Amino acid sequence: MVLDIVEFDEEALRQETEEVEIPPSGEVKLLAAQMLATMDAADGLGLAAPQVNRSERLFVVNLWGKYHVFINPVIERFSKDVGTEEEACLSLPGVFAKVRRPKMVWITYYDAAGKLYESRKFKRRDARVIQHEMDHLDGKLIVDYVSDFEFGE
Ligand code: ZN
């Protein structure tokens, strides 16, 4: 099932998210599977729970054709090396923002099966996609990196 992606909906996109119980329940596994299908149908590289108006600390990404589910992700470490690239967001169609981010991150997270990954390293585009989705879990959007952007219309 493909879910509805919220667009320019500040209430949904800024909602607080909550840690998921480990091992993930059937409901959480189903949500992850539906989010993967939704991301795929929208041709996106990532999708976070608030974008489908859910409050779980969970996001999915497509890294070079491989699907990954991140549950309760924590950034353990950033590289000092940063880069600036233009980003888009499925929840903000037509908006592009230049965002400065560390080029490498080390993340601890669980997958949909409840397997723990400790301080797993991601770099370059993968690190950028993951940081973008991590931001969603904290209600942060790419427009927040642009000083003169007005949210909404
Ligand atoms: Zn986004």
Side-chain angles (χ1 to χ4, degrees):
M1 194 180 91
V2 170
L3 306 169
D4 285 332
I5 297 176
V6 301
E7 294 179 357
F8 298 105
D9 180 340
E10 207 159 359
E11 205 179 314
L13 294 170
R14 306 283 192 193
Q15 69 183 289
E16 275 193 37
T17 54
E18 288 170 15
E19 293 235 325
V20 173
E21 255 184 64
I22 304 297
S25 65
E27 191 202 355
V28 166
K29 286 179 186 169
L30 178 65
L31 173 64
Q34 290 174 336
M35 285 173 59
L36 284 167
T38 304
M39 172 183 74
D40 216 32
D43 252 336
L45 293 178
L47 187 70
Q51 294 183 274
V52 291
N53 202 12
R54 295 282 296 242
S55 59
E56 288 86 350
R57 289 194 72 79
L58 182 164
F59 65 80
V60 299
V61 290
N62 175 345
L63 303 179
W64 309 102
K66 273 198 167 176
Y67 294 147
H68 301 264
V69 176
F70 285 71
I71 294 174
N72 302 342
V74 174
I75 296 184
E76 304 287 356
R77 217 176 119 199
F78 297 101
S79 64
K80 282 197 192 111
D81 203 13
V82 296
T84 303
E85 300 275 349
E86 198 164 68
E87 293 184 21
C89 179
L90 291 176
S91 291
L92 307 171
V95 174
F96 299 90
K98 284 193 172 155
V99 183
R100 199 172 127 96
R101 299 191 189 276
K103 287 185 180 171
M104 280 189 278
V105 285
W106 286 256
I107 315 276
T108 293
Y109 66 100
Y110 294 90
D111 69 12
K115 184 180 172 193
L116 174 67
Y117 294 83
E118 281 182 281
S119 247
R120 188 173 177 190
K121 180 177 156 185
F122 296 91
K123 52 189 178 178
R124 293 190 281 275
R125 194 185 76 166
D126 296 353
R128 178 167 292 276
V129 170
I130 286 166
Q131 289 175 81
H132 177 119
E133 300 312 324
M134 291 281 305
D135 277 353
H136 274 300
L137 301 183
D138 295 321
K140 192 166 183 190
L141 303 168
I142 53 172
V143 293
D144 300 336
Y145 292 88
V146 183
S147 56
D148 58 354
F149 190 88
E150 281 182 34
F151 199 90
E153 297 307 306

